[in-house]
Amino acid sequence: HVQLVESGGGSVQAGGSLRLSCTASGYTYGRHCVGWFRQAPGKEREGVAGAGSDGATVYADSVKGRFTISQYNRGNTLYLQMDSLKPEDTAMYYCAASSRTWSCLASLASVSYRFWGQGTQVTVS
């Protein structure tokens, strides 16, 4: 059973940067797909970035070129580097992991993920 805990959210001015972290327990590096999602008030949850078990990545068009997903093997930590932030990036951000598997493709679909963190708020003004 994978447990995920996000941190690093906060308030930032437009054009600024934040780095979100997600610490995973019960997780095996390279055996899960991982991703970041966000949900703004009154809107549906959307996939922001995903990484497959092979390390391939996928990004939503709205964040491509500004956000970067990465993993740190030691300590099983997932990151989302967010640069050139815009007010429309304001949302609760969640990290997610798939069930343990031999192979999975990077995905922005929430149905691809089984385990979710509690979220961290990002506010851009």
Side-chain angles (χ1 to χ4, degrees):
H1 186 78
V2 176
Q3 292 183 313
L4 304 169
V5 179
E6 303 97 333
S7 61
S11 298
V12 64
Q13 291 188 338
S17 298
L18 281 175
R19 188 176 77 161
L20 305 183
S21 300
C22 176
T23 301
S25 59
Y27 171 89
T28 305
Y29 180 79
R31 298 291 299 275
H32 303 264
C33 278
V34 291
W36 287 95
F37 290 74
R38 67 185 181 188
Q39 187 167 22
K43 294 188 177 181
E44 292 187 356
R45 183 171 55 189
E46 63 171 340
V48 173
S53 57
D54 60 352
T57 57
V58 61
Y59 296 93
D61 288 342
S62 59
V63 306
K64 202 171 293 184
R66 300 189 298 121
F67 290 12
T68 303
I69 186 172
S70 61
Q71 297 186 71
Y72 182 52
N73 187 14
R74 293 184 180 180
N76 284 339
T77 304
L78 177 68
Y79 299 102
L80 184 68
Q81 177 67 40
M82 305 186 296
D83 299 318
S84 302
L85 282 162
K86 304 175 181 179
E88 50 264 44
D89 295 318
T90 295
M92 186 73 79
Y93 283 72
Y94 301 88
C95 65
S98 69
S99 298
R100 192 170 183 265
T101 181
W102 288 108
S103 176
C104 60
L105 298 176
S107 173
L108 298 179
S110 59
V111 296
S112 298
Y113 299 92
R114 177 181 177 187
F115 304 104
W116 296 83
Q118 82 290 349
T120 186
Q121 178 68 37
V122 172
T123 303
V124 185
S125 59

